[in-house]
Amino acid sequence: TLLAELIRLCEKLQITLGAGQLLVIAKSDTQDLAARIQAIQSIKKQDPKPILNSLITLAKDNKPSIQVAAINKIAEIEPQNIANILNKLWTTLSTQAQQAFIYSIGKNSSSEGDKILNTAFSSLLNGNLSKSLELDVLVAAEKSKNPNLKKQLKKYADIVLPSIADLPDILSKNSV
């Protein structure tokens, strides 16, 4: 859209748009989605911390792509604290936003992030985790340096790999 392109053009020309102006666009339901997402993405890392509250509000938006953009920006601004910032909120978000959050806490290790991943991994092992989040949790656990997550990952592999090894036999018996 025109507004999204104008925001990008300002960046290319190194015309600084303040976080306040960008947040007005990002929060506006009357702006089109592309402009809102571009506004969030254009917020600079060195902008003041008070924008975090606005980004948290945007993470609660009813549009999943706005939630994802807000989570990615929070992860950029506060990579070591994203788990602490969103720990109470993340399970209420859209699937896409939950995936972005899990990716972020896997990439940016922290004690709170490790706790969240441990809980999610336990849910995976118990069959209680949403199928749409399973791969994200596995990838985040694999990236993690947390020894408990590594143990859980091995436990998962011990459960799943034998059944995958039997797959050709199962398929050949069922194809008759």
Side-chain angles (χ1 to χ4, degrees):
T1 67
L2 182 60
L3 184 55
E5 291 302 319
L6 284 172
I7 295 169
R8 276 193 277 282
L9 180 61
C10 286
E11 283 185 340
K12 286 182 183 175
L13 296 174
Q14 297 179 345
I15 298 171
T16 304
L17 297 174
Q21 295 135 329
L22 292 168
L23 286 168
V24 168
I25 295 167
K27 291 178 180 179
S28 174
D29 287 333
T30 60
Q31 296 297 337
D32 65 73
L33 198 55
R36 293 178 69 198
I37 292 169
Q38 186 59 52
I40 294 167
Q41 292 171 341
S42 296
I43 295 170
K44 300 296 178 221
K45 187 174 181 176
Q46 66 270 20
D47 281 334
K49 300 227 189 251
I51 65 165
L52 275 177
N53 288 334
S54 294
L55 289 171
I56 292 166
T57 299
L58 286 165
K60 300 174 191 175
D61 194 273
N62 63 353
K63 294 192 175 28
S65 52
I66 297 294
Q67 292 178 358
V68 170
I71 286 169
N72 288 339
K73 185 52 68 172
I74 293 168
E76 179 186 321
I77 293 171
E78 289 285 338
Q80 299 305 314
N81 293 323
I82 187 166
N84 290 325
I85 293 167
L86 297 175
N87 65 350
K88 303 267 191 281
L89 173 67
W90 82 275
T91 57
T92 66
L93 302 176
S94 67
T95 299
Q96 299 94 317
Q98 288 180 18
Q99 291 169 326
F101 176 73
I102 290 169
Y103 173 81
S104 294
I105 63 174
K107 181 179 171 189
N108 304 301
S109 185
S110 69
S111 61
E112 185 64 27
D114 288 346
K115 286 180 199 172
I116 292 167
L117 281 176
N118 274 313
T119 301
F121 209 112
S122 293
S123 294
L124 170 69
L125 290 172
N126 295 330
N128 298 327
L129 186 70
S130 168
K131 296 285 183 205
S132 57
L133 297 177
E134 287 181 359
L135 183 59
D136 302 284
V137 169
L138 289 169
V139 170
E142 197 278 324
K143 286 183 178 188
S144 173
K145 293 170 178 57
N146 181 294
N148 189 42
L149 280 168
K150 295 297 183 190
K151 285 179 195 171
Q152 289 197 55
L153 195 57
K154 181 172 178 353
K155 185 176 179 181
Y156 180 79
D158 290 343
I159 294 167
V160 172
L161 291 179
S163 61
I164 291 174
D166 294 336
L167 194 57
D169 291 337
I170 294 168
L171 290 174
S172 65
K173 289 176 185 172
N174 289 332
S175 65
V176 177

